[in-house]
mmCIF file of all heavy atoms in Angstrom:
data_model
loop_
_atom_site.group_PDB
_atom_site.id
_atom_site.type_symbol
_atom_site.label_atom_id
_atom_site.label_comp_id
_atom_site.label_asym_id
_atom_site.label_seq_id
_atom_site.Cartn_x
_atom_site.Cartn_y
_atom_site.Cartn_z
ATOM 1 N N GLY A 841 -0.895 -9.629 108.929
ATOM 2 C CA GLY A 841 -0.607 -8.370 108.258
ATOM 3 C C GLY A 841 -1.794 -7.758 107.560
ATOM 4 O O GLY A 841 -2.861 -7.586 108.145
ATOM 5 N N VAL A 842 -1.631 -7.419 106.278
ATOM 6 C CA VAL A 842 -2.672 -6.697 105.539
ATOM 7 C C VAL A 842 -3.863 -7.581 105.180
ATOM 8 O O VAL A 842 -4.883 -7.085 104.711
ATOM 9 C CB VAL A 842 -2.097 -6.059 104.253
ATOM 10 C CG1 VAL A 842 -1.002 -5.066 104.582
ATOM 11 C CG2 VAL A 842 -1.579 -7.131 103.295
ATOM 12 N N GLN A 843 -3.744 -8.873 105.357
ATOM 13 C CA GLN A 843 -4.848 -9.783 105.053
ATOM 14 C C GLN A 843 -5.790 -9.904 106.253
ATOM 15 O O GLN A 843 -5.359 -9.803 107.403
ATOM 16 C CB GLN A 843 -4.313 -11.174 104.720
ATOM 17 C CG GLN A 843 -3.346 -11.226 103.566
ATOM 18 C CD GLN A 843 -2.740 -12.606 103.388
ATOM 19 O OE1 GLN A 843 -3.174 -13.572 104.023
ATOM 20 N NE2 GLN A 843 -1.741 -12.716 102.534
ATOM 21 N N GLU A 844 -7.064 -10.127 105.962
ATOM 22 C CA GLU A 844 -7.985 -10.480 107.045
ATOM 23 C C GLU A 844 -7.483 -11.758 107.697
ATOM 24 O O GLU A 844 -7.090 -12.698 107.012
ATOM 25 C CB GLU A 844 -9.401 -10.681 106.503
ATOM 26 C CG GLU A 844 -10.044 -9.404 106.022
ATOM 27 C CD GLU A 844 -11.506 -9.595 105.655
ATOM 28 O OE1 GLU A 844 -12.047 -10.686 105.920
ATOM 29 O OE2 GLU A 844 -12.103 -8.656 105.102
ATOM 30 N N VAL A 845 -7.498 -11.779 109.017
ATOM 31 C CA VAL A 845 -6.915 -12.929 109.708
ATOM 32 C C VAL A 845 -7.843 -14.140 109.609
ATOM 33 O O VAL A 845 -9.021 -14.067 109.948
ATOM 34 C CB VAL A 845 -6.584 -12.587 111.180
ATOM 35 C CG1 VAL A 845 -7.815 -12.182 111.965
ATOM 36 C CG2 VAL A 845 -5.888 -13.756 111.860
ATOM 37 N N THR A 846 -7.289 -15.219 109.094
ATOM 38 C CA THR A 846 -8.020 -16.485 108.999
ATOM 39 C C THR A 846 -7.268 -17.609 109.693
ATOM 40 O O THR A 846 -7.874 -18.611 110.068
ATOM 41 C CB THR A 846 -8.257 -16.868 107.528
ATOM 42 O OG1 THR A 846 -6.997 -16.912 106.844
ATOM 43 C CG2 THR A 846 -9.167 -15.854 106.841
ATOM 44 N N GLN A 847 -5.945 -17.454 109.840
ATOM 45 C CA GLN A 847 -5.153 -18.466 110.531
ATOM 46 C C GLN A 847 -5.126 -18.123 112.015
ATOM 47 O O GLN A 847 -4.481 -17.169 112.431
ATOM 48 C CB GLN A 847 -3.734 -18.521 109.961
ATOM 49 C CG GLN A 847 -2.934 -19.699 110.499
ATOM 50 C CD GLN A 847 -1.657 -19.926 109.711
ATOM 51 O OE1 GLN A 847 -1.395 -19.265 108.716
ATOM 52 N NE2 GLN A 847 -0.849 -20.886 110.167
ATOM 53 N N LEU A 848 -5.849 -18.918 112.778
ATOM 54 C CA LEU A 848 -6.075 -18.593 114.183
ATOM 55 C C LEU A 848 -5.374 -19.537 115.151
ATOM 56 O O LEU A 848 -5.521 -19.385 116.367
ATOM 57 C CB LEU A 848 -7.580 -18.598 114.481
ATOM 58 C CG LEU A 848 -8.443 -17.658 113.626
ATOM 59 C CD1 LEU A 848 -9.926 -17.873 113.934
ATOM 60 C CD2 LEU A 848 -8.057 -16.211 113.874
ATOM 61 N N ASP A 849 -4.617 -20.494 114.637
ATOM 62 C CA ASP A 849 -4.090 -21.544 115.506
ATOM 63 C C ASP A 849 -2.601 -21.416 115.832
ATOM 64 O O ASP A 849 -2.039 -22.283 116.495
ATOM 65 C CB ASP A 849 -4.355 -22.921 114.886
ATOM 66 C CG ASP A 849 -3.730 -23.070 113.496
ATOM 67 O OD1 ASP A 849 -3.219 -22.067 112.954
ATOM 68 O OD2 ASP A 849 -3.766 -24.196 112.947
ATOM 69 N N ARG A 850 -1.941 -20.347 115.368
ATOM 70 C CA ARG A 850 -0.515 -20.214 115.685
ATOM 71 C C ARG A 850 -0.343 -19.675 117.094
ATOM 72 O O ARG A 850 -0.802 -18.561 117.397
ATOM 73 C CB ARG A 850 0.173 -19.287 114.679
ATOM 74 C CG ARG A 850 0.268 -19.870 113.286
ATOM 75 C CD ARG A 850 1.083 -19.000 112.339
ATOM 76 N NE ARG A 850 0.487 -17.710 112.079
ATOM 77 C CZ ARG A 850 0.719 -16.979 110.981
ATOM 78 N NH1 ARG A 850 1.547 -17.450 110.055
ATOM 79 N NH2 ARG A 850 0.156 -15.811 110.820
ATOM 80 N N PRO A 851 0.312 -20.413 117.973
ATOM 81 C CA PRO A 851 0.452 -19.975 119.367
ATOM 82 C C PRO A 851 1.297 -18.725 119.531
ATOM 83 O O PRO A 851 1.188 -18.026 120.538
ATOM 84 C CB PRO A 851 1.105 -21.177 120.062
ATOM 85 C CG PRO A 851 1.746 -21.965 118.975
ATOM 86 C CD PRO A 851 0.899 -21.756 117.756
ATOM 87 N N GLU A 852 2.136 -18.388 118.562
ATOM 88 C CA GLU A 852 3.018 -17.227 118.681
ATOM 89 C C GLU A 852 2.317 -15.911 118.357
ATOM 90 O O GLU A 852 2.839 -14.847 118.680
ATOM 91 C CB GLU A 852 4.234 -17.378 117.760
ATOM 92 C CG GLU A 852 5.095 -18.590 118.056
ATOM 93 C CD GLU A 852 4.653 -19.827 117.269
ATOM 94 O OE1 GLU A 852 3.554 -19.792 116.664
ATOM 95 O OE2 GLU A 852 5.398 -20.812 117.257
ATOM 96 N N ASP A 853 1.176 -15.962 117.683
ATOM 97 C CA ASP A 853 0.469 -14.724 117.358
ATOM 98 C C ASP A 853 -0.083 -14.091 118.630
ATOM 99 O O ASP A 853 -0.547 -14.787 119.540
ATOM 100 C CB ASP A 853 -0.668 -15.005 116.375
ATOM 101 C CG ASP A 853 -0.181 -15.138 114.940
ATOM 102 O OD1 ASP A 853 0.844 -14.520 114.606
ATOM 103 O OD2 ASP A 853 -0.829 -15.851 114.152
ATOM 104 N N TRP A 854 -0.058 -12.765 118.675
ATOM 105 C CA TRP A 854 -0.360 -12.039 119.912
ATOM 106 C C TRP A 854 -1.705 -12.406 120.515
ATOM 107 O O TRP A 854 -1.841 -12.478 121.742
ATOM 108 C CB TRP A 854 -0.288 -10.530 119.656
ATOM 109 C CG TRP A 854 -1.401 -9.978 118.798
ATOM 110 C CD1 TRP A 854 -1.398 -9.845 117.440
ATOM 111 C CD2 TRP A 854 -2.663 -9.483 119.248
ATOM 112 N NE1 TRP A 854 -2.589 -9.314 117.005
ATOM 113 C CE2 TRP A 854 -3.382 -9.074 118.100
ATOM 114 C CE3 TRP A 854 -3.260 -9.335 120.502
ATOM 115 C CZ2 TRP A 854 -4.666 -8.538 118.165
ATOM 116 C CZ3 TRP A 854 -4.545 -8.795 120.576
ATOM 117 C CH2 TRP A 854 -5.225 -8.410 119.419
ATOM 118 N N PHE A 855 -2.711 -12.668 119.684
ATOM 119 C CA PHE A 855 -4.052 -12.949 120.199
ATOM 120 C C PHE A 855 -4.164 -14.336 120.814
ATOM 121 O O PHE A 855 -5.152 -14.640 121.489
ATOM 122 C CB PHE A 855 -5.106 -12.744 119.098
ATOM 123 C CG PHE A 855 -4.785 -13.447 117.797
ATOM 124 C CD1 PHE A 855 -5.084 -14.789 117.608
ATOM 125 C CD2 PHE A 855 -4.199 -12.751 116.762
ATOM 126 C CE1 PHE A 855 -4.793 -15.429 116.418
ATOM 127 C CE2 PHE A 855 -3.896 -13.376 115.553
ATOM 128 C CZ PHE A 855 -4.193 -14.722 115.375
ATOM 129 N N ASN A 856 -3.147 -15.190 120.591
ATOM 130 C CA ASN A 856 -3.078 -16.483 121.270
ATOM 131 C C ASN A 856 -2.005 -16.505 122.356
ATOM 132 O O ASN A 856 -2.163 -17.181 123.381
ATOM 133 C CB ASN A 856 -2.773 -17.599 120.261
ATOM 134 C CG ASN A 856 -3.934 -17.885 119.329
ATOM 135 O OD1 ASN A 856 -5.093 -17.794 119.733
ATOM 136 N ND2 ASN A 856 -3.634 -18.218 118.087
ATOM 137 N N ALA A 857 -0.935 -15.762 122.136
ATOM 138 C CA ALA A 857 0.212 -15.801 123.054
ATOM 139 C C ALA A 857 -0.031 -15.041 124.356
ATOM 140 O O ALA A 857 0.454 -15.443 125.422
ATOM 141 C CB ALA A 857 1.456 -15.240 122.355
ATOM 142 N N LEU A 858 -0.793 -13.942 124.308
ATOM 143 C CA LEU A 858 -0.923 -13.072 125.480
ATOM 144 C C LEU A 858 -2.068 -13.418 126.442
ATOM 145 O O LEU A 858 -1.904 -13.259 127.657
ATOM 146 C CB LEU A 858 -1.049 -11.616 125.025
ATOM 147 C CG LEU A 858 0.126 -11.044 124.231
ATOM 148 C CD1 LEU A 858 -0.103 -9.566 123.932
ATOM 149 C CD2 LEU A 858 1.446 -11.233 124.976
ATOM 150 N N PRO A 859 -3.239 -13.845 125.964
ATOM 151 C CA PRO A 859 -4.356 -14.083 126.900
ATOM 152 C C PRO A 859 -4.050 -15.015 128.068
ATOM 153 O O PRO A 859 -4.542 -14.776 129.186
ATOM 154 C CB PRO A 859 -5.452 -14.652 126.002
ATOM 155 C CG PRO A 859 -5.196 -14.018 124.679
ATOM 156 C CD PRO A 859 -3.699 -13.980 124.564
ATOM 157 N N PRO A 860 -3.248 -16.091 127.897
ATOM 158 C CA PRO A 860 -2.961 -16.945 129.060
ATOM 159 C C PRO A 860 -2.329 -16.201 130.234
ATOM 160 O O PRO A 860 -2.496 -16.597 131.392
ATOM 161 C CB PRO A 860 -2.002 -17.998 128.485
ATOM 162 C CG PRO A 860 -2.384 -18.099 127.048
ATOM 163 C CD PRO A 860 -2.715 -16.694 126.651
ATOM 164 N N PHE A 861 -1.629 -15.099 129.955
ATOM 165 C CA PHE A 861 -1.019 -14.310 131.029
ATOM 166 C C PHE A 861 -2.069 -13.463 131.762
ATOM 167 O O PHE A 861 -1.767 -12.848 132.782
ATOM 168 C CB PHE A 861 0.090 -13.428 130.471
ATOM 169 C CG PHE A 861 1.276 -14.213 129.985
ATOM 170 C CD1 PHE A 861 1.370 -14.598 128.658
ATOM 171 C CD2 PHE A 861 2.273 -14.600 130.866
ATOM 172 C CE1 PHE A 861 2.449 -15.341 128.210
ATOM 173 C CE2 PHE A 861 3.354 -15.349 130.433
ATOM 174 C CZ PHE A 861 3.448 -15.722 129.099
ATOM 175 N N LEU A 862 -3.293 -13.467 131.238
ATOM 176 C CA LEU A 862 -4.422 -12.832 131.920
ATOM 177 C C LEU A 862 -5.407 -13.879 132.424
ATOM 178 O O LEU A 862 -6.531 -13.563 132.806
ATOM 179 C CB LEU A 862 -5.136 -11.866 130.952
ATOM 180 C CG LEU A 862 -4.292 -10.701 130.420
ATOM 181 C CD1 LEU A 862 -5.067 -9.936 129.357
ATOM 182 C CD2 LEU A 862 -3.878 -9.773 131.560
ATOM 183 N N GLY A 863 -4.976 -15.142 132.383
ATOM 184 C CA GLY A 863 -5.831 -16.228 132.857
ATOM 185 C C GLY A 863 -6.965 -16.555 131.902
ATOM 186 O O GLY A 863 -8.003 -17.070 132.324
ATOM 187 N N GLN A 864 -6.778 -16.283 130.614
ATOM 188 C CA GLN A 864 -7.833 -16.507 129.634
ATOM 189 C C GLN A 864 -7.303 -17.326 128.461
ATOM 190 O O GLN A 864 -6.106 -17.312 128.167
ATOM 191 C CB GLN A 864 -8.377 -15.169 129.127
ATOM 192 C CG GLN A 864 -8.960 -14.304 130.237
ATOM 193 C CD GLN A 864 -9.714 -13.115 129.699
ATOM 194 O OE1 GLN A 864 -10.398 -13.202 128.690
ATOM 195 N NE2 GLN A 864 -9.590 -11.990 130.388
ATOM 196 N N PRO A 865 -8.187 -18.032 127.753
ATOM 197 C CA PRO A 865 -7.743 -18.798 126.588
ATOM 198 C C PRO A 865 -7.409 -17.885 125.421
ATOM 199 O O PRO A 865 -7.905 -16.757 125.330
ATOM 200 C CB PRO A 865 -8.955 -19.684 126.265
ATOM 201 C CG PRO A 865 -10.123 -18.933 126.821
ATOM 202 C CD PRO A 865 -9.621 -18.227 128.047
ATOM 203 N N GLY A 866 -6.583 -18.364 124.521
ATOM 204 C CA GLY A 866 -6.269 -17.621 123.314
ATOM 205 C C GLY A 866 -7.471 -17.542 122.395
ATOM 206 O O GLY A 866 -8.452 -18.289 122.538
ATOM 207 N N TYR A 867 -7.394 -16.643 121.421
ATOM 208 C CA TYR A 867 -8.527 -16.435 120.526
ATOM 209 C C TYR A 867 -8.844 -17.690 119.714
ATOM 210 O O TYR A 867 -10.008 -18.056 119.548
ATOM 211 C CB TYR A 867 -8.245 -15.263 119.583
ATOM 212 C CG TYR A 867 -9.479 -14.796 118.860
ATOM 213 C CD1 TYR A 867 -10.324 -13.852 119.426
ATOM 214 C CD2 TYR A 867 -9.820 -15.311 117.618
ATOM 215 C CE1 TYR A 867 -11.478 -13.439 118.779
ATOM 216 C CE2 TYR A 867 -10.963 -14.900 116.959
ATOM 217 C CZ TYR A 867 -11.785 -13.964 117.548
ATOM 218 O OH TYR A 867 -12.932 -13.574 116.901
ATOM 219 N N GLY A 868 -7.794 -18.340 119.208
ATOM 220 C CA GLY A 868 -8.014 -19.552 118.426
ATOM 221 C C GLY A 868 -8.752 -20.624 119.214
ATOM 222 O O GLY A 868 -9.630 -21.308 118.673
ATOM 223 N N ALA A 869 -8.413 -20.766 120.493
ATOM 224 C CA ALA A 869 -9.083 -21.764 121.334
ATOM 225 C C ALA A 869 -10.552 -21.410 121.537
ATOM 226 O O ALA A 869 -11.421 -22.292 121.556
ATOM 227 C CB ALA A 869 -8.369 -21.872 122.676
ATOM 228 N N LEU A 870 -10.849 -20.126 121.685
ATOM 229 C CA LEU A 870 -12.245 -19.698 121.835
ATOM 230 C C LEU A 870 -13.056 -20.036 120.592
ATOM 231 O O LEU A 870 -14.171 -20.561 120.685
ATOM 232 C CB LEU A 870 -12.307 -18.192 122.105
ATOM 233 C CG LEU A 870 -11.876 -17.712 123.484
ATOM 234 C CD1 LEU A 870 -11.896 -16.182 123.534
ATOM 235 C CD2 LEU A 870 -12.782 -18.278 124.572
ATOM 236 N N VAL A 871 -12.496 -19.728 119.423
ATOM 237 C CA VAL A 871 -13.215 -20.011 118.177
ATOM 238 C C VAL A 871 -13.415 -21.516 118.006
ATOM 239 O O VAL A 871 -14.501 -21.980 117.624
ATOM 240 C CB VAL A 871 -12.450 -19.420 116.978
ATOM 241 C CG1 VAL A 871 -13.087 -19.858 115.659
ATOM 242 C CG2 VAL A 871 -12.425 -17.899 117.065
ATOM 243 N N LYS A 872 -12.378 -22.279 118.293
ATOM 244 C CA LYS A 872 -12.451 -23.732 118.141
ATOM 245 C C LYS A 872 -13.518 -24.346 119.034
ATOM 246 O O LYS A 872 -14.175 -25.327 118.664
ATOM 247 C CB LYS A 872 -11.084 -24.347 118.452
ATOM 248 C CG LYS A 872 -10.991 -25.826 118.140
ATOM 249 C CD LYS A 872 -9.573 -26.340 118.345
ATOM 250 C CE LYS A 872 -9.469 -27.822 117.990
ATOM 251 N NZ LYS A 872 -8.077 -28.329 118.183
ATOM 252 N N SER A 873 -13.729 -23.759 120.210
ATOM 253 C CA SER A 873 -14.733 -24.290 121.150
ATOM 254 C C SER A 873 -16.108 -23.659 120.943
ATOM 255 O O SER A 873 -17.007 -23.877 121.762
ATOM 256 C CB SER A 873 -14.266 -24.069 122.589
ATOM 257 O OG SER A 873 -14.155 -22.679 122.869
ATOM 258 N N GLY A 874 -16.280 -22.895 119.883
ATOM 259 C CA GLY A 874 -17.568 -22.281 119.599
ATOM 260 C C GLY A 874 -17.888 -21.075 120.454
ATOM 261 O O GLY A 874 -19.054 -20.703 120.590
ATOM 262 N N LYS A 875 -16.857 -20.430 121.013
ATOM 263 C CA LYS A 875 -17.073 -19.279 121.898
ATOM 264 C C LYS A 875 -16.468 -18.005 121.317
ATOM 265 O O LYS A 875 -15.944 -17.165 122.035
ATOM 266 C CB LYS A 875 -16.471 -19.566 123.276
ATOM 267 C CG LYS A 875 -17.124 -20.739 123.988
ATOM 268 C CD LYS A 875 -16.462 -21.018 125.325
ATOM 269 C CE LYS A 875 -17.108 -22.201 126.024
ATOM 270 N NZ LYS A 875 -16.438 -22.509 127.320
ATOM 271 N N ARG A 876 -16.563 -17.869 120.017
ATOM 272 C CA ARG A 876 -16.048 -16.666 119.353
ATOM 273 C C ARG A 876 -16.689 -15.426 119.972
ATOM 274 O O ARG A 876 -17.905 -15.346 120.106
ATOM 275 C CB ARG A 876 -16.377 -16.738 117.862
ATOM 276 C CG ARG A 876 -15.947 -15.539 117.034
ATOM 277 C CD ARG A 876 -16.381 -15.788 115.583
ATOM 278 N NE ARG A 876 -16.041 -14.696 114.694
ATOM 279 C CZ ARG A 876 -16.784 -13.615 114.521
ATOM 280 N NH1 ARG A 876 -17.906 -13.448 115.221
ATOM 281 N NH2 ARG A 876 -16.418 -12.685 113.651
ATOM 282 N N PRO A 877 -15.880 -14.440 120.395
ATOM 283 C CA PRO A 877 -16.442 -13.229 121.010
ATOM 284 C C PRO A 877 -17.448 -12.528 120.105
ATOM 285 O O PRO A 877 -17.329 -12.553 118.882
ATOM 286 C CB PRO A 877 -15.201 -12.354 121.251
ATOM 287 C CG PRO A 877 -14.085 -13.323 121.388
ATOM 288 C CD PRO A 877 -14.403 -14.420 120.414
ATOM 289 N N LYS A 878 -18.436 -11.888 120.740
ATOM 290 C CA LYS A 878 -19.498 -11.193 120.022
ATOM 291 C C LYS A 878 -19.480 -9.702 120.358
ATOM 292 O O LYS A 878 -18.871 -9.278 121.340
ATOM 293 C CB LYS A 878 -20.864 -11.781 120.393
ATOM 294 C CG LYS A 878 -21.016 -13.264 120.093
ATOM 295 C CD LYS A 878 -22.389 -13.760 120.536
ATOM 296 C CE LYS A 878 -22.594 -15.228 120.177
ATOM 297 N NZ LYS A 878 -21.612 -16.116 120.837
ATOM 298 N N ALA A 879 -20.170 -8.925 119.530
ATOM 299 C CA ALA A 879 -20.292 -7.489 119.782
ATOM 300 C C ALA A 879 -20.969 -7.259 121.128
ATOM 301 O O ALA A 879 -21.862 -8.013 121.530
ATOM 302 C CB ALA A 879 -21.098 -6.834 118.670
ATOM 303 N N ASN A 880 -20.541 -6.228 121.821
ATOM 304 C CA ASN A 880 -21.076 -5.836 123.126
ATOM 305 C C ASN A 880 -20.792 -6.852 124.232
ATOM 306 O O ASN A 880 -21.355 -6.758 125.316
ATOM 307 C CB ASN A 880 -22.587 -5.574 123.047
ATOM 308 C CG ASN A 880 -22.934 -4.488 122.057
ATOM 309 O OD1 ASN A 880 -22.277 -3.443 122.021
ATOM 310 N ND2 ASN A 880 -23.939 -4.724 121.231
ATOM 311 N N GLU A 881 -19.927 -7.806 123.947
ATOM 312 C CA GLU A 881 -19.530 -8.787 124.954
ATOM 313 C C GLU A 881 -18.360 -8.232 125.749
ATOM 314 O O GLU A 881 -17.487 -7.565 125.197
ATOM 315 C CB GLU A 881 -19.133 -10.086 124.258
ATOM 316 C CG GLU A 881 -18.791 -11.237 125.178
ATOM 317 C CD GLU A 881 -18.514 -12.502 124.378
ATOM 318 O OE1 GLU A 881 -19.381 -12.894 123.589
ATOM 319 O OE2 GLU A 881 -17.427 -13.079 124.546
ATOM 320 N N HIS A 882 -18.354 -8.484 127.043
ATOM 321 C CA HIS A 882 -17.229 -8.018 127.857
ATOM 322 C C HIS A 882 -16.055 -8.956 127.623
ATOM 323 O O HIS A 882 -15.914 -9.996 128.254
ATOM 324 C CB HIS A 882 -17.613 -7.992 129.337
ATOM 325 C CG HIS A 882 -16.561 -7.332 130.190
ATOM 326 N ND1 HIS A 882 -16.372 -5.968 130.220
ATOM 327 C CD2 HIS A 882 -15.617 -7.857 131.015
ATOM 328 C CE1 HIS A 882 -15.377 -5.672 131.035
ATOM 329 N NE2 HIS A 882 -14.902 -6.806 131.527
ATOM 330 N N SER A 883 -15.221 -8.593 126.672
ATOM 331 C CA SER A 883 -14.115 -9.447 126.253
ATOM 332 C C SER A 883 -12.892 -8.582 126.007
ATOM 333 O O SER A 883 -13.000 -7.452 125.506
ATOM 334 C CB SER A 883 -14.489 -10.187 124.959
ATOM 335 O OG SER A 883 -13.346 -10.777 124.365
ATOM 336 N N ILE A 884 -11.713 -9.103 126.321
ATOM 337 C CA ILE A 884 -10.489 -8.349 126.072
ATOM 338 C C ILE A 884 -10.230 -8.201 124.571
ATOM 339 O O ILE A 884 -9.436 -7.356 124.158
ATOM 340 C CB ILE A 884 -9.265 -9.009 126.745
ATOM 341 C CG1 ILE A 884 -9.075 -10.441 126.256
ATOM 342 C CG2 ILE A 884 -9.386 -8.941 128.256
ATOM 343 C CD1 ILE A 884 -7.785 -11.077 126.718
ATOM 344 N N PHE A 885 -10.887 -9.002 123.759
ATOM 345 C CA PHE A 885 -10.690 -8.939 122.316
ATOM 346 C C PHE A 885 -11.575 -7.896 121.634
ATOM 347 O O PHE A 885 -11.325 -7.539 120.489
ATOM 348 C CB PHE A 885 -10.975 -10.301 121.681
ATOM 349 C CG PHE A 885 -10.074 -11.403 122.151
ATOM 350 C CD1 PHE A 885 -10.522 -12.347 123.069
ATOM 351 C CD2 PHE A 885 -8.767 -11.493 121.691
ATOM 352 C CE1 PHE A 885 -9.693 -13.365 123.504
ATOM 353 C CE2 PHE A 885 -7.932 -12.507 122.137
ATOM 354 C CZ PHE A 885 -8.393 -13.450 123.043
ATOM 355 N N VAL A 886 -12.619 -7.448 122.321
ATOM 356 C CA VAL A 886 -13.633 -6.600 121.689
ATOM 357 C C VAL A 886 -13.767 -5.288 122.459
ATOM 358 O O VAL A 886 -14.079 -5.280 123.649
ATOM 359 C CB VAL A 886 -14.997 -7.321 121.644
ATOM 360 C CG1 VAL A 886 -16.041 -6.430 120.998
ATOM 361 C CG2 VAL A 886 -14.872 -8.638 120.889
ATOM 362 N N ARG A 887 -13.545 -4.178 121.774
ATOM 363 C CA ARG A 887 -13.712 -2.878 122.417
ATOM 364 C C ARG A 887 -15.190 -2.511 122.495
ATOM 365 O O ARG A 887 -16.001 -2.960 121.674
ATOM 366 C CB ARG A 887 -12.943 -1.803 121.648
ATOM 367 C CG ARG A 887 -13.433 -1.595 120.244
ATOM 368 C CD ARG A 887 -12.763 -0.418 119.563
ATOM 369 N NE ARG A 887 -13.181 -0.324 118.179
ATOM 370 C CZ ARG A 887 -14.341 0.174 117.780
ATOM 371 N NH1 ARG A 887 -15.210 0.634 118.659
ATOM 372 N NH2 ARG A 887 -14.662 0.221 116.494
#
């Protein structure tokens, strides 16, 4: 909600629940593996 997101491991949150349907890992899994998306990266998480 109105808080900056810090809890990244809940599978029900949209950024973790939806990517597998596009053949991609959830956001929490990316951060945990040291692959947090970066600016100008071709990522579904980053415009």
Side-chain angles (χ1 to χ4, degrees):
V842 299
Q843 302 174 9
E844 291 187 8
V845 60
T846 56
Q847 189 167 356
L848 303 174
D849 58 352
R850 291 186 295 205
E852 300 90 349
D853 280 332
W854 70 269
F855 50 83
N856 290 325
L858 299 184
F861 292 93
L862 299 173
Q864 300 191 38
Y867 193 87
L870 287 175
V871 173
K872 188 175 182 180
S873 63
K875 297 178 181 178
R876 178 181 179 275
K878 301 178 177 61
N880 301 316
E881 184 176 305
H882 188 75
S883 167
I884 58 172
F885 298 103
V886 180
R887 63 173 175 78

